Structures are given as C-alpha cells and as structure tokens.
Amino acid sequence: MLFEGLSKLKRQSIMTAVILLAIGVVLIICPDRYISTLIDVLGVLMLLGASIMVLDFISSEKSLMDFVRMTCALALGIAGGVVLILDTNTVYVIAWLFGIALIIYGIYSLFHALIFARRSGRKGWWVMVLLSALLIFLGVIIIIHPYWNTPGELLRIIGCVVVFSAIVSALRLIWIWPIKNA
C-alpha cells in the first residue's frame, strides 16, 4: 500500500514540478504589454479545467471525494469567470488564487514531508518541513502583496514563487524516493 502511494506520488511530483516550472517561467518572462492577454488565457484555462473536472464528476461513482472535487471545480469555474469578466483588478484576483493554491500546496507538501520523507530514512527530511512552511508563508505574502504596485511586478513575484514551488516539488521527490527502510 505504501509503495503504491509512493509510485503515484512520484509521478504526480514529476508532473507538478514540470508544469509549475513552465508556468513560473512564463510569468517571469512575460512583457508588460502582454499581461492582459496572459490573464485572459489564464481565465480560459481555469474555465477549461473546471469543465474537465465537471465531466470527470459526471462519469465518476459519486463518492465523497468526487463531490469535493466537484466543489473545487465549481469554485475554479467561478474564479475563471471572474478573471475573464472583470477588467480591473484581475491581477489581484489572480494573486489571491495563486496565494490560496500555494497555501494548499504547502500544506499538501508539509503533510507528505511528515508522512513520507520522515519514513524514507534520509537525513535532513526536516528541510522539507521548513520548505513547506516557507511555501505557506509565501502564499500568505502573495495574498497580502505589500511590496509591489504594478501588475507586472506582481506577476513576476508570483512566477518566482511558482518556480520555487517547482523546486520544492522536485526536492520532495528526491527525499521520498526510494525508501530505505519500509
């Protein structure tokens, strides 16, 4: 059971790291004149992701976890609609979304650091706990965003934090896989 969970976690960590790295790089290198287009693309991707999650719910067995995913899909769809409909302050809506997602991802990473990395038998597993706590802290900082004023600066900060979370995801994979004493 543990090895099946770790195999799934390994695949998930690799894909998460690659996707987060790509998103972070795009946010960092995006010129200021294309920010509105990038925001529109993000809104469309959020609506598309919500649609796929709703279709998955329709074809599921309707367990409790499926209803939780459906609720997340509806929230994602509403957020995507807000990003597309509102022209002003959409960058701050995106900051809230990335901040909340980063906090959730930090909690997820903290959970896996405590459950899997500690059991892997490697030294320094506590570094993953610190990095996960740092992800949660950075998510809070992105939500309150006190240090930047323009949308370009905010998106670059979000991009840097997303790249950092991709690095944390890759480090989590290194610390967890393979387990020395199962």
Side-chain angles (χ1 to χ4, degrees):
M1 177 86 174
L2 181 65
F3 289 114
E4 291 173 8
L6 283 176
S7 179
K8 181 179 177 182
L9 181 64
K10 178 183 175 183
R11 286 190 307 259
Q12 193 176 34
S13 292
I14 291 170
M15 287 307 299
T16 302
V18 169
I19 290 170
L20 288 176
L21 190 62
I23 290 171
V25 168
V26 167
L27 289 174
I28 290 171
I29 66 172
C30 181
D32 287 340
R33 63 181 180 200
Y34 296 119
I35 287 176
S36 63
T37 304
L38 182 67
I39 290 171
D40 290 340
V41 167
L42 181 65
V44 169
L45 288 176
M46 290 166 63
L47 286 176
L48 183 64
S51 301
I52 290 171
M53 291 170 73
V54 167
L55 291 175
D56 283 342
F57 174 77
I58 291 171
S59 66
S60 70
E61 297 177 9
K62 312 294 188 286
S63 66
L64 177 62
M65 195 62 198
D66 293 326
F67 283 102
V68 170
R69 288 186 186 119
M70 177 64 176
T71 304
C72 291
L74 292 175
L76 185 66
I78 290 170
V82 166
V83 167
L84 286 175
I85 292 172
L86 295 179
D87 287 334
T88 59
N89 295 330
T90 55
V91 174
Y92 300 111
V93 171
I94 291 172
W96 270 85
L97 292 174
F98 270 104
I100 290 170
L102 199 59
I103 291 170
I104 292 170
Y105 184 69
I107 292 170
Y108 172 81
S109 182
L110 180 66
F111 173 75
H112 282 287
L114 292 174
I115 299 298
F116 293 119
R118 186 171 50 127
R119 292 184 184 178
S120 69
R122 293 183 187 238
K123 295 180 182 178
W125 63 270
W126 53 270
V127 173
M128 283 305 302
V129 173
L130 292 176
L131 291 175
S132 300
L134 185 60
L135 282 176
I136 295 169
F137 175 73
L138 290 173
V140 171
I141 291 296
I142 284 180
I143 288 174
I144 59 175
H145 53 80
Y147 302 114
W148 41 87
N149 297 325
T150 65
E153 290 175 359
L154 182 59
L155 286 181
R156 284 180 190 76
I157 294 296
I158 291 172
C160 291
V161 172
V162 169
V163 168
F164 175 72
S165 66
I167 292 168
V168 170
S169 179
L171 287 175
R172 184 179 65 222
L173 178 66
I174 291 169
W175 254 292
I176 291 175
W177 200 264
I179 291 182
K180 292 182 180 178
N181 51 355

